[in-house]
Amino acid sequence: MKAFVLTGLLTTALLFAGTPHALADTLVDTSISEDTVWTKERSPYLVPDALLVDPGATLTIEPGVEVRFGHNGICMVFGRVEARGTSDEPILFTSAGGRWSGTWVYGGYLLLQNVFLENTADDVIDLTYGSIAILTDVTLRNVRTGIGVYEQSEADITGLSSDGVEGEAVAAYIGSHFTLA
């Protein structure tokens, strides 16, 4: 048992090597199955693989929080994510090294306000299967592609800015709806 725990700690340490304060901060290695609040005081939140927000659960992210994903890590939203930063304390979704795979919303709800999304290997946000997103004052930096709106999903986007988007910033597909202001 001691060898297993030591191996797990060593793996986590290597995953976030070079990340300031990585071992002193909040490691997230489970799904969010009940309403949860992430605070600035416990930031950064380190997600080595996948962050799953289950149906019926809401993840609330407070201003000033930083979320760091491991290489090819992903955020999968089946429930709700509400990330409300401020102009003085934006929220940052980034990688802990390399690039992460972005946020995929499957019939869920995504609210982002004053948020920076950076360093993704895939679409930074994919909305599918009737998802709803409200994005206000969101900045995309160093991402492969921006926001994809698919299969009866809706996005209301206000104040989108980009710096280093390799492909399209927003792509809407047949059967979807979006507004961009």
Side-chain angles (χ1 to χ4, degrees):
M1 178 66 176
K2 288 182 182 178
F4 177 74
V5 171
L6 182 57
T7 302
L9 289 173
L10 181 59
T11 301
T12 301
L14 290 173
L15 172 65
F16 294 106
T19 303
H21 316 294
L23 295 178
D25 297 308
T26 306
L27 179 65
V28 179
D29 60 357
T30 186
S31 65
I32 306 292
S33 58
E34 59 186 34
D35 293 354
T36 303
V37 178
W38 287 1
T39 63
K40 182 179 175 182
E41 293 75 31
R42 296 198 60 201
S43 180
Y45 289 82
L46 310 171
V47 182
D49 297 308
L51 169 63
L52 303 174
V53 181
D54 292 339
T58 298
L59 171 60
T60 302
I61 303 175
E62 294 184 343
V65 167
E66 183 174 318
V67 183
R68 298 179 188 167
F69 289 87
H71 181 68
N72 290 327
I74 188 168
C75 178
M76 300 175 75
V77 180
F78 299 92
R80 296 173 69 93
V81 171
E82 299 181 8
R84 289 184 176 95
T86 66
S87 57
D88 292 332
E89 291 190 288
I91 294 168
L92 174 64
F93 288 83
T94 190
S95 65
R99 288 184 157 199
W100 64 293
S101 293
T103 299
W104 297 359
V105 186
Y106 294 96
Y109 177 83
L110 180 66
L111 182 144
L112 302 180
Q113 181 177 355
N114 289 299
V115 171
F116 288 87
L117 299 145
E118 62 182 23
N119 300 326
T120 61
D122 297 307
D123 293 354
V124 70
I125 297 173
D126 272 344
L127 304 169
T128 62
Y129 304 111
S131 298
I132 297 173
I134 300 172
L135 312 175
T136 306
D137 298 325
V138 170
T139 301
L140 312 178
R141 295 190 297 210
N142 189 32
V143 298
R144 183 178 157 270
T145 52
I147 301 161
V149 186
Y150 302 89
E151 294 115 15
Q152 290 91 39
S153 295
E154 298 180 26
D156 183 2
I157 305 168
T158 305
L160 178 67
S161 60
S162 63
D163 179 18
V165 177
E166 296 170 19
E168 65 277 350
V170 178
Y173 298 90
I174 295 174
S176 67
H177 175 75
F178 81 98
T179 58
L180 183 61

